[in-house]
Amino acid sequence: MADERQVIVSVKNLKQYFNIGKPNMVKAVDDVSFDIYKGETFGLVGESGSGKSTTGRSIIRLYNPTDGHIYFNGQDISKIKSHGSKMKEFRREMQMIFQDPYASLNPRMKVKDIIAEGLDVHHLVKNDDERDKRVRELLDMVNLNPEHMTRYPYEFSGGQRQRIGIARALAVDPQFIIADEPISALDVSIQAQVVNLMQDIQKKQGLTYLFIAHDLSMVKYISDRIAVMYRGKIVELADSDEIYNNPLHPYTQSLLSAIPVPDPEIETKRTRIDFDHKRPFEDDQRLQEVLPGHFLYCNDEKAASFKNNK
Amino acid sequence: MEQIPQIPKEKFRLIHDENNKDQEKIGTPSLTYMQDVRRRLFKDKVAVVCLALISIIVVISILAPIIAPHNPNAQQVTMSNLPPKLGNLNIPGMNGYQNMGGHMVDAYKQADAPKGTFYILGTDYLGRDLLSRIIYGTRLSLVVAVLATLVDLLIGVPYGIVSGWKGGKTDTFMQRIVEIVSSIPNLIVVILMMIILKPGLTSIVIAIAITGWVTMARLVRAQTFQLKEQEYILAARTLGEPSMKIATKHLIPNLSSTIIIQTMFTIPNAIFFEAFLSFIGIGIPAPNASLGTLLSDGQKAFRFLPYQMWAPAIILSVIMIATNLLGDGLRDAFDPQSSEN
Ligand SMILES: Nc1ncnc2c1ncn2[C@@H]1O[C@H](COP(=O)(O)OP(=O)(O)O)[C@@H](O)[C@H]1O
Ligand SMILES: [Mg+2]
């Protein structure tokens, strides 16, 4: 089934190291491969520091990947030059929504100028009237009052700011949006609002999302497929339901066991599964398809055991 | 388990779901950020007064040749050390009388000054008109201050931004240069300049240009380092904003308080540096006046002829206080959040 769908982003053996050659070298992303299909929401989950943001930022080329390839609509964008015309084109196709609603908007710019930044860079509007009109449309799209476009960010709440950030990303009509923990800084009551908004927009505009989160609780509802990341590697990747019902990697199991359930009966019986963080990855392990559409980071022997069971 | 009290269904009401759609309409006219800055600055009364004071001082300095009543360097030994006198108005302290051995005497009569001669701020030990010297001296000190500020803004700020923005090897290299420059004391540079050039404005300005921008560059670099990791800068990059635009649209407005505060230190520092050099005799050469030379001359006779020091000291203080308060006002004006008072 997966093969019929069109791949929009394909990451192949992506490596992103920092401080190369120095004692404090970090392998933030270490040989990661996955495909994202057009129109889906791809969840990327892992604890803080596991390299999720770095993966997102490499894909959108805020960093120059150390090694590997990133294909966007079939085109290798991992090596295009930072200031070339190819990059400028690419900048319109892929956008990002950030985590911290207080740091993601320039405090010294008006909302309309924040949202219109992409319009200005790519010359998408001819004059000021058209610019204002487009900004109004975008504010309307994210359910904010267009009259507020002359205000400054500090006059808005966290949820409202996050929606301004979404409007800014939408301004250039992207196909693919990386949302880096867009709701983790928000109150629980607002989280659903923002997620619903993102889903509405996805339906209307046919967007594809890479949705990054540090726990599975919200992601499992909104993602079609989920990749679990741990220390720079993807340890498990499968359909959302499959991950939820049939987690294979001990780390995934431990993440799932940490989600509280709003049911006291189950909650009293819930036990946390501990994951042994001291045990490093072994050399003979790699990400492989152990069940249809279900990838697991393991050695060949283990992978074979799944095949035999079937 | 405790029973939760039943709330009748009718009591629930759907709150307008298009949230905020009709939250209070705002009355702020649609101005650009810079127009907003100006509006906020002019709302600040203290800043406006300071701006007016500084403008007056600047205009007087520019028009010095027209406004100064006397030639500032013309000596007239018979008229030396005359106290302030303003026409024939008998204002205490401005009437030409001076305390001599316990008696108030008309110093102008004693000096055989021709009728109608008067010096508003008195004369110095060579009989030069103090008012004219102060006007010319202020002019010179302001030139030094303006040049030092320009060096800060045109060298220090871009240097710091480039160094902080580029990071890595570029930054390391640029910081080595900063360290080398800042390890040379200003005084050494001036003295070395003096070997090549004559003492005077040029060597002072060159000395300030060589060493003055370093502090600004350091502060701006440190701040840029912090800012460039901010998500709004990352957002600008993902939108394809060119680096130059990121610097002018995002970095400089958010660096503005650092820049303004540092400039507020640069201006008095430059004036004092010049004053210090003149004081130790390697600054502005005689007979030219600067606020520094006037203070050092006045200081010598302060016990007996205090007016010679009061006037330049007051002018210097006014310039300092006004620039500082204006700086505060500017800093607030650049911050949108401060308008909420
Ligand atoms: N610019 C950078 N320079 C050096 N190390 C970095 C940089 N960015 C991230 N790292 C390191 O890479 C690892 C992964 O970070 P990150 O991708 O932010 O994790 P996550 O988003 O999953 O919390 C962390 O150990 C972090 O310290
Ligand atoms: Mg992160």
Side-chain angles (χ1 to χ4, degrees):
Chain A
M1 180 191 97
D3 300 319
E4 295 156 24
R5 287 182 285 176
Q6 195 187 340
V7 173
I8 183 163
V9 172
S10 177
V11 177
K12 293 268 172 283
N13 307 100
L14 177 68
K15 290 180 187 163
Q16 186 72 62
Y17 299 170
F18 295 111
N19 308 322
I20 297 169
K22 290 191 200 138
N24 59 345
M25 176 160 115
V26 186
K27 294 184 174 180
V29 176
D30 197 11
D31 201 0
V32 155
S33 303
F34 57 88
D35 289 339
I36 299 176
Y37 298 113
K38 207 171 172 74
E40 77 169 340
T41 299
F42 185 90
L44 186 58
V45 180
E47 65 191 17
S48 167
S50 54
K52 309 176 301 286
S53 300
T54 308
T55 307
R57 288 175 184 186
S58 303
I59 294 174
I60 205 167
R61 286 297 311 275
L62 280 173
Y63 301 139
N64 290 325
T66 312
D67 195 20
H69 297 274
I70 301 157
Y71 298 93
F72 181 68
N73 283 330
Q75 224 188 15
D76 188 355
I77 49 99
S78 57
K79 306 235 154 43
I80 51 176
K81 287 214 185 63
S82 291
H83 297 292
S85 61
K86 274 234 178 82
M87 182 61 106
K88 199 160 181 193
E89 241 170 72
F90 170 63
R91 291 284 179 226
R92 277 194 62 185
E93 306 291 349
M94 199 185 279
Q95 272 302 305
M96 194 151 186
I97 301 170
F98 293 89
Q99 174 172 7
D100 182 353
Y102 291 88
S104 61
L105 307 178
N106 183 343
R108 311 223 156 170
M109 271 166 82
K110 299 204 162 201
V111 166
K112 74 166 178 182
D113 296 317
I114 292 173
I115 293 177
E117 184 161 21
L119 303 176
D120 299 340
V121 173
H122 296 282
H123 309 290
L124 301 181
V125 286
K126 285 188 223 62
N127 51 41
D128 279 356
D129 287 342
E130 211 174 296
R131 187 174 182 261
D132 280 3
K133 194 170 147 259
R134 181 83 179 111
V135 171
R136 278 169 191 283
E137 275 171 25
L138 287 160
L139 280 170
D140 204 46
M141 207 184 285
V142 297
N143 298 332
L144 284 173
N145 186 345
E147 300 301 319
H148 292 179
M149 65 181 203
T150 52
R151 290 191 172 187
Y152 288 95
Y154 77 92
E155 297 171 82
F156 295 86
S157 69
Q160 291 175 319
R161 283 159 164 257
Q162 206 56 310
R163 284 184 265 165
I164 295 170
I166 294 173
R168 169 179 58 195
L170 292 175
V172 293
D173 266 328
Q175 300 179 30
F176 181 68
I177 291 184
I178 299 173
D180 188 355
E181 307 203 24
I183 54 171
S184 17
L186 303 178
D187 284 354
V188 179
S189 56
I190 315 270
Q191 290 188 346
Q193 245 183 47
V194 171
V195 165
N196 287 342
L197 174 70
M198 285 179 66
Q199 285 183 320
D200 285 350
I201 294 170
Q202 180 174 33
K203 258 182 238 137
K204 268 185 230 154
Q205 319 248 328
L207 290 172
T208 310
Y209 286 137
L210 169 59
F211 196 99
I212 298 175
H214 61 252
D215 63 35
L216 272 163
S217 55
M218 188 65 104
V219 181
K220 68 175 199 272
Y221 294 112
I222 53 176
S223 307
D224 298 299
R225 290 187 308 139
I226 294 176
V228 179
M229 201 164 181
Y230 178 68
R231 299 211 182 158
K233 292 187 192 295
I234 287 182
V235 294
E236 188 163 5
L237 192 168
D239 279 0
S240 206
D241 295 337
E242 174 77 4
I243 284 271
Y244 191 52
N245 298 321
N246 184 22
L248 296 178
H249 198 278
Y251 181 68
T252 316
Q253 291 164 356
S254 129
L255 275 185
L256 277 168
S257 76
I259 305 175
V261 188
D263 181 339
E265 306 271 306
I266 303 175
E267 192 63 3
T268 47
K269 276 182 256 154
R270 183 167 68 93
T271 48
R272 283 220 47 182
I273 302 171
D274 273 339
F275 177 67
D276 181 7
H277 289 275
K278 279 195 219 78
R279 201 179 55 192
F281 299 115
E282 277 145 39
D283 283 344
D284 58 350
Q285 292 181 326
R286 63 195 167 85
L287 190 69
Q288 41 192 324
E289 192 166 6
V290 293
L291 295 169
H294 195 148
F295 295 78
L296 179 68
Y297 194 81
C298 62
N299 56 25
D300 294 346
E301 206 179 317
K302 179 117 195 230
S305 73
F306 285 102
K307 296 224 167 75
N308 297 340
N309 279 356
K310 252 181 75 184
Chain B
M1 254 209 198
E2 224 175 288
Q3 193 68 37
I4 300 164
Q6 284 283 313
I7 304 170
K9 227 177 187 171
E10 312 82 73
K11 289 212 168 166
F12 288 98
R13 184 167 52 85
L14 188 68
I15 300 174
H16 218 273
D17 79 330
E18 301 189 9
N19 54 78
N20 315 318
K21 272 264 162 90
D22 36 30
Q23 217 180 39
E24 5 73 88
K25 292 250 156 91
I26 24 92
T28 29
S30 87
L31 302 168
T32 64
Y33 173 65
M34 282 320 285
Q35 285 170 322
D36 262 354
V37 169
R38 201 157 18 164
R39 191 177 51 91
R40 279 193 291 266
L41 184 67
F42 284 118
K43 258 180 26 193
D44 181 350
K45 290 192 190 68
V46 177
V48 172
V49 169
C50 291
L51 188 63
L53 268 178
I54 293 173
S55 312
I56 292 169
I57 293 175
V58 167
V59 168
I60 290 178
S61 311
I62 292 171
L63 301 180
I66 303 169
I67 289 176
H70 297 265
N71 178 343
N73 297 334
Q75 303 178 8
Q76 210 173 347
V77 188
T78 50
M79 300 289 163
S80 67
N81 292 335
L82 289 177
K85 182 175 180 183
L86 184 56
N88 288 326
L89 307 168
N90 210 354
I91 308 164
M94 297 278 281
N95 53 8
Y97 278 73
Q98 203 172 19
N99 190 333
M100 273 188 181
H103 301 283
M104 295 301 283
V105 263
D106 187 346
Y108 281 73
K109 206 178 248 169
Q110 275 199 334
D112 269 339
K115 235 184 153 56
T117 321
F118 61 87
Y119 300 96
I120 297 175
L121 293 178
T123 59
D124 69 358
Y125 69 105
L126 290 173
R128 295 176 293 197
D129 175 37
L130 263 182
L131 176 62
S132 310
R133 285 183 73 70
I134 286 172
I135 292 175
Y136 274 89
T138 307
R139 171 153 121 148
L140 214 143
S141 294
L142 283 183
V143 167
V144 172
V146 167
L147 289 172
T149 306
L150 283 181
V151 167
D152 253 15
L153 296 182
L154 298 182
I155 302 179
V157 172
Y159 193 97
I161 289 180
V162 169
S163 184
W165 181 255
K166 291 275 179 203
K169 289 205 178 73
T170 318
D171 177 51
T172 312
F173 177 72
M174 289 176 87
Q175 288 315 299
R176 287 301 93 79
I177 295 181
V178 164
E179 279 158 27
I180 292 169
V181 170
S182 61
S183 65
I184 311 170
N186 264 353
L187 196 55
I188 306 272
V189 178
V190 183
I191 291 170
L192 289 177
M193 285 327 309
M194 223 81 78
I195 299 172
I196 313 167
L197 301 161
K198 280 182 294 180
L201 192 58
T202 327
S203 39
I204 293 174
V205 167
I206 291 177
I208 289 175
I210 290 176
T211 59
W213 53 274
V214 171
T215 318
M216 178 68 98
R218 275 191 170 150
L219 289 173
V220 168
R221 168 187 172 264
Q223 185 92 36
T224 304
F225 252 112
Q226 282 177 9
L227 288 179
K228 79 171 177 180
E229 291 303 321
Q230 294 280 314
E231 287 178 344
Y232 61 83
I233 305 269
L234 296 180
R237 286 174 58 202
T238 63
L239 285 165
E241 193 83 271
S243 306
M244 217 30 211
K245 265 283 181 62
I246 291 182
T248 53
K249 256 173 92 168
H250 297 285
L251 290 176
I252 292 179
N254 286 287
L255 285 167
S256 61
S257 33
T258 307
I259 295 174
I260 290 167
I261 292 168
Q262 179 52 27
T263 307
M264 290 310 113
F265 282 110
T266 297
I267 291 176
N269 272 348
I271 293 178
F272 277 129
F273 182 56
E274 180 280 318
F276 163 71
L277 293 179
S278 304
F279 190 80
I280 63 171
I282 58 174
I284 306 295
N288 291 319
S290 74
L291 287 180
T293 55
L294 291 172
L295 279 172
S296 82
D297 286 351
Q299 175 270 147
K300 286 172 194 151
F302 185 63
R303 298 258 318 268
F304 310 104
L305 306 161
Y307 66 89
Q308 289 189 358
M309 191 163 128
W310 277 126
I314 287 170
I315 294 292
L316 188 59
S317 310
V318 167
I319 293 176
M320 303 292 172
I321 294 169
T323 45
N324 264 300
L325 293 178
L326 178 63
D328 281 352
L330 271 175
R331 192 194 53 204
D332 289 345
F334 274 105
D335 181 5
Q337 209 156 344
S338 74
S339 66
E340 211 190 17
N341 34 35

